[in-house]
Amino acid sequence: MALHSEIRRRDDRLIRGALRRTVARPGAEGVDPVQLGRVLLLVAAPLVGGGVPALNTARGSLELAGAAVAMLLVAFAASFAVPWRRLGTRATLAFPVLVCGVLVLLSVFDAPAYAPLAGLLALCFAFIGLTQPPRTALAMLPVAGLAFVLVSGGWSAAVVIRLLIGCFVWSILGELLAHLRVRQEALSAALRAAAYLDVLTGIGNRRDLDVRLATAQPGDAVVLCDLDHFKRLNDTQGHHVGDRVLADFGSMLRATLRAGDYCARYGGEEFVLILPGTTVPEALATLDRMRTHWAVLNPATTFSAGVASCTADRPLGETFAAADRALYAAKDAGRDCGRVEPAADPSPKTQPVQAA
């Protein structure tokens, strides 16, 4: 019962961790915050450059427009030198803050004339909604509100009313887009899980295994496991019992293997383990640990295993075939044991892996 509880708790932690990673990586699905920020600057530049002379024909408006556009374009060019990946998604708030800064710059010269350019603030909140976590738009309201008031010529009853309406629209826009994006990312994660996870066991499926096998390196151990007499179990006790045994075996693998180890259901009652940087003795020790846990979880069912090592002088397909041959050797030896491919076996006819 204690092992059952440990496995269930670990499963719950895995699920919660996956959900946290999904929500904690805004912009990871589809929208690149940095690229979208650059688009924001490129959209704002012509609007400011054309809007300033159009809204104010006084002398010097062209120079002001040029200075504002230069500020946006310099920031665009500088964005390619910023280590955004290390700084994180929050750092991309610099893009909408810069647009607000341009509005503040315009307010210094002839604020009321440039009030229509405050419409750029809506683009800033659209950017925030598409790239940042929920509630970020609410935190941005003071900055946007200050820029709006300054470019509108200062406080007045009309400005306050427009500001209240603007804050309401900006917050709705930003929060709605943020929540829709988070939902879309969660749905995408669920679709990926459906495509690459085995529903019954909760570990990788055949498609996911093909992807993972392609990344195996020399020095990794490949292990094939097969539940013994599984067809007899299905025939005598029913497929619902067999399904429960498969699900428990998958849970046992997740609870037993190391963080960097990989496991997948290869098909039917066969499972594949990829143990990075693992020697043959270490792989056999892992099988011992698995057998000990499995004997507690399901003492009525045993499993056999075959082990092979990835080497630089043979294709991965041959390594997989070697592990398969070792598995058949374990079956021929009476099952409930492990065998190593002959070339990597340090002793003649490797001994069965005994339960602790």
Side-chain angles (χ1 to χ4, degrees):
M1 292 299 293
L3 184 58
H4 273 287
S5 300
E6 175 188 346
I7 290 174
R8 299 307 175 196
R9 286 196 298 271
R10 177 160 179 166
D11 290 349
D12 290 342
R13 288 197 299 269
L14 288 171
I15 294 172
R16 289 196 299 269
L19 290 175
R20 281 197 300 269
R21 287 191 296 272
T22 298
V23 177
R25 291 187 295 111
E29 293 297 328
V31 176
D32 182 348
V34 177
Q35 296 294 342
L36 193 59
R38 291 169 181 155
V39 170
L40 175 63
L41 298 183
L42 291 179
V43 170
L47 292 177
V48 172
V52 168
L55 294 170
N56 187 351
T57 58
R59 197 170 190 176
S61 62
L62 287 176
E63 290 80 357
L64 178 61
V69 171
M71 180 186 299
L72 293 170
L73 294 181
V74 168
F76 173 82
S79 69
F80 289 93
V82 177
W84 298 107
R85 187 177 297 275
R86 188 170 71 245
L87 295 176
T89 304
R90 290 286 193 183
T92 60
L93 285 172
F95 292 108
V97 169
L98 177 64
V99 174
C100 291
V102 169
L103 294 179
V104 172
L105 173 66
L106 296 178
S107 70
V108 175
F109 294 90
D110 192 355
Y114 305 128
L117 291 176
L120 289 172
L121 294 173
L123 293 179
C124 294
F125 280 90
F127 167 85
I128 292 171
L130 291 172
T131 63
Q132 305 296 322
R135 294 184 294 278
T136 304
L138 301 179
M140 186 68 181
L141 285 177
V143 177
L146 176 63
F148 180 86
V149 170
L150 292 178
V151 82
S152 298
W155 293 102
S156 68
V159 169
V160 169
I161 294 174
R162 293 203 305 271
L163 176 62
L164 292 177
I165 295 174
C167 288
F168 178 77
V169 173
W170 299 333
S171 59
I172 292 296
L173 175 63
E175 291 303 299
L176 180 61
L177 289 176
H179 282 88
L180 288 176
R181 192 201 70 254
V182 169
R183 178 176 174 79
Q184 181 267 334
E185 290 177 356
L187 290 175
S188 296
L191 289 175
R192 283 198 307 274
Y196 290 98
L197 289 183
D198 180 68
V199 177
L200 182 60
T201 61
I203 61 178
N205 60 12
R206 181 66 177 270
R207 181 185 291 110
D208 190 55
L209 174 63
D210 290 341
V211 174
R212 180 60 181 85
L213 277 173
T215 65
Q217 301 292 324
D220 295 350
V222 176
V223 182
L224 268 65
C225 300
D226 185 274
L227 295 174
D228 297 326
H229 302 297
F230 188 75
K231 184 179 184 302
R232 182 192 306 171
L233 175 68
N234 276 335
D235 293 341
T236 57
Q237 300 188 43
H239 287 276
H240 66 286
V241 175
D243 288 348
R244 187 168 65 249
V245 171
L246 291 172
D248 287 344
F249 196 81
S251 297
M252 181 275 294
L253 290 176
R254 294 197 301 273
T256 306
L257 297 179
R258 301 167 301 182
D261 295 338
Y262 173 83
C263 59
R265 185 183 177 191
Y266 182 60
E269 68 275 19
E270 288 190 321
F271 297 81
V272 177
L273 315 180
I274 301 177
L275 312 178
T278 302
T279 63
V280 167
E282 290 170 341
L284 293 176
T286 298
L287 287 175
D288 278 335
R289 189 167 63 252
M290 288 168 48
R291 199 174 301 279
T292 299
H293 286 190
W294 184 241
V296 175
L297 192 61
N298 195 316
T301 307
T302 60
F303 69 91
S304 303
V307 180
S309 293
C310 294
T311 60
D313 59 349
R314 68 176 177 184
L316 182 61
E318 292 184 11
T319 302
F320 194 84
D324 193 44
R325 290 193 297 270
L327 173 61
Y328 274 100
K331 293 286 188 180
D332 293 340
R335 296 181 171 85
D336 191 20
C337 64
R339 283 288 188 269
V340 180
E341 58 169 325
D345 194 348
S347 61
K349 296 292 185 180
T350 52
Q351 296 300 314
V353 180
Q354 301 296 331

